[in-house]
Amino acid sequence: MTVSPVDVVIFAPLAPLFGVLLFWFIQLLFIESQKYLLSKIWNRHKPLCRFTNFLGVLYQTICHALGYTVTKSGISNFYVSVDYGKVAPKKEKKGIFEWMSNSFLFIGPFFIPALLLLICFLLIKGSGVEIAQSIDYTFAEGLINFGTNLYAFSENLFLFLVSIDLLHPPHIGFLILLIFLGMGIRPSYIGEEKQRKVNMLYDLQNIKAHIFHKPLYILMLFLLAYVFSYISVLLKTNWYTSLLSIFGWLSIVAIVSLIIAHMIILLIKTTDEIPGHWRLLPFLTIPISYALMRFILPFLTQKEYIASIALFVMLISTIIVVFLLLKYTTNKLKTTTKMKESRIEDGPKRSIRK
């Protein structure tokens, strides 16, 4: 099969870049969806929503501080609140150093917190993830290699999550960090001030303004990416695709954490429809069903399946309890309300007959 030099020189380096941008865009969509769900529970769960605001501002501020550290600007002041964060450098640097610091501010929150979680995952897992070693440098092969790397990582991550042991301290610590990441990975504040249009478009406008403020620097990054790609071709390695695949892994970690955050917020939103103290029952079902399964399953099945089965039973039990409560408690409430309304309507009619 003949390979076009134009494909190798111009188009092949773009394949992994397009893959990273695609998953980053998917990540943005999940962030926007999470913002919408949080806005629906804001009135009843303001402390929780404000805590997620704090996490988002904290990640953003830490990334900005990291940018000043990398550029050796130093940090003279670090301030974080629920709806505001600020980092002041010791030395005001201009040019590419200022642009790099702002890159950490605008783009860093999407990747840097996920990078820390990725490192934790690899340490807990104890073994690396296989990386595609194909050296066919075409646009199609670049996409295939990138997709293969993401599939291998996703498989390892999901296999770990479906068998996570909630009685194992490193596992439960990783899950808590994953939830915290999902709750606060958005870099923008979500509050009750209606005049602030903070959404995905707002984030993209900030990033666009940052990029086009210094287009020469973006051009330099593209040139460096192409040079690195050509070096990989000359050395017959897959370094270029492997490096960009890591950015894809970061998006996968972020998306998974956002999905888990969605599940938690949806559970809170759904239980709000259950009247009285019954709404606490689904939250009690989670630890009780899991602990019960961990006690019973050692007598019924092999050790390697216990954690997975207990996790599955916990999720199914919680869903069933929520469904039954919604079906019976809310129906009774509606029936009682309708009966009261009918009595009120019938009262005047009877008095008129008399």
Side-chain angles (χ1 to χ4, degrees):
M1 179 181 177
T2 59
V3 177
S4 171
V6 176
D7 191 357
V8 176
V9 174
I10 298 178
F11 295 108
L14 294 175
L17 284 173
F18 287 164
V20 171
L21 290 174
L22 173 63
F23 277 88
W24 186 27
F25 184 75
I26 295 173
Q27 180 180 336
L28 283 169
L29 291 177
F30 273 99
I31 290 172
E32 188 65 16
S33 173
Q34 186 203 49
K35 291 177 183 179
Y36 174 78
L37 288 177
L38 285 171
S39 68
K40 293 298 181 181
I41 65 171
W42 175 271
N43 292 330
R44 299 194 63 171
H45 301 280
K46 190 176 292 186
L48 173 64
C49 294
R50 288 173 63 83
F51 176 70
T52 63
N53 288 334
F54 172 76
L55 289 176
V57 175
L58 177 64
Y59 296 159
Q60 187 181 41
T61 311
I62 289 175
C63 290
H64 201 190
L66 184 60
Y68 284 133
T69 303
V70 169
T71 57
K72 296 184 178 180
S73 301
I75 300 172
S76 64
N77 187 23
F78 186 96
Y79 173 79
V80 177
S81 68
V82 172
D83 57 358
Y84 181 71
K86 182 179 180 180
V87 183
K90 287 183 178 180
K91 301 177 183 178
E92 289 285 351
K93 293 189 176 183
K94 301 296 181 180
I96 192 169
F97 295 107
E98 181 186 17
W99 187 84
M100 287 179 62
S101 299
N102 290 330
S103 296
F104 275 85
L105 171 64
F106 292 117
I107 303 176
F110 294 102
F111 296 106
I112 293 176
L115 175 61
L116 298 177
L117 198 61
L118 174 63
I119 294 173
C120 293
F121 169 68
L122 295 177
L123 290 175
I124 293 174
K125 188 175 179 294
S127 60
V129 180
E130 294 184 4
I131 296 178
Q133 298 297 326
S134 173
I135 55 174
D136 293 329
Y137 302 100
T138 63
F139 183 86
E141 285 297 329
L143 281 179
I144 292 172
N145 290 339
F146 180 81
T148 301
N149 292 337
L150 260 62
Y151 175 81
F153 174 77
S154 301
E155 184 180 28
N156 280 272
L157 179 60
F158 283 114
L159 287 175
F160 172 75
L161 290 177
V162 298
S163 62
I164 195 168
D165 187 353
L166 298 184
L167 300 181
H168 192 272
H171 287 200
I172 189 65
F174 176 81
L175 182 61
I176 292 173
L177 290 176
L178 192 67
I179 293 172
F180 274 35
L181 174 67
M183 287 292 187
I185 197 171
R186 66 180 190 277
S188 301
Y189 172 69
I190 299 299
E192 52 191 344
E193 300 177 13
K194 301 299 182 182
Q195 68 270 21
R196 298 186 63 174
K197 299 297 183 181
V198 180
N199 51 29
M200 185 177 72
L201 295 178
Y202 176 85
D203 295 331
L204 291 175
Q205 286 171 0
N206 282 337
I207 295 169
K208 177 185 175 182
H210 172 65
I211 289 174
F212 286 98
H213 178 63
K214 295 290 184 180
L216 179 61
Y217 298 153
I218 294 295
L219 179 61
M220 290 172 59
L221 286 177
F222 266 100
L223 291 176
L224 286 174
Y226 270 80
V227 169
F228 186 43
S229 174
Y230 300 152
I231 292 174
S232 298
V233 172
L234 293 175
L235 296 179
K236 296 183 178 180
T237 63
N238 203 25
W239 293 344
Y240 175 72
T241 304
S242 300
L243 177 63
L244 291 179
S245 295
I246 295 175
F247 284 94
W249 295 358
L250 298 179
S251 284
I252 293 294
V253 171
I255 291 169
V256 170
S257 66
L258 286 165
I259 291 173
I260 294 176
H262 272 68
M263 294 170 63
I264 295 173
I265 298 171
L266 282 172
L267 177 62
I268 294 172
K269 182 177 180 295
T270 305
T271 53
D272 283 344
E273 300 177 12
I274 301 172
H277 296 294
W278 287 107
R279 65 170 60 97
L280 299 177
L281 187 57
F283 297 99
L284 295 175
T285 303
I286 294 174
I288 292 174
S289 60
Y290 187 82
L292 188 62
M293 285 297 101
R294 291 304 300 263
F295 177 75
I296 295 175
L297 288 174
F299 303 101
L300 302 177
T301 186
Q302 299 179 11
K303 183 178 180 181
E304 58 267 25
Y305 302 122
I306 292 176
S308 299
I309 296 175
L311 191 65
F312 177 76
V313 171
M314 180 190 74
L315 294 174
I316 296 300
S317 300
T318 306
I319 293 172
I320 292 174
V321 168
V322 170
F323 175 77
L324 293 176
L325 288 174
L326 286 174
K327 181 177 181 181
Y328 291 104
T329 59
T330 55
N331 283 351
K332 287 180 180 179
L333 183 64
K334 291 177 182 177
T335 303
T336 305
T337 304
K338 288 181 179 179
M339 289 176 64
K340 290 180 179 178
E341 291 176 352
S342 64
R343 289 173 183 173
I344 293 172
E345 291 176 356
D346 292 342
K349 293 179 181 178
R350 291 173 183 173
S351 61
I352 290 171
R353 289 174 184 174
K354 291 180 180 178

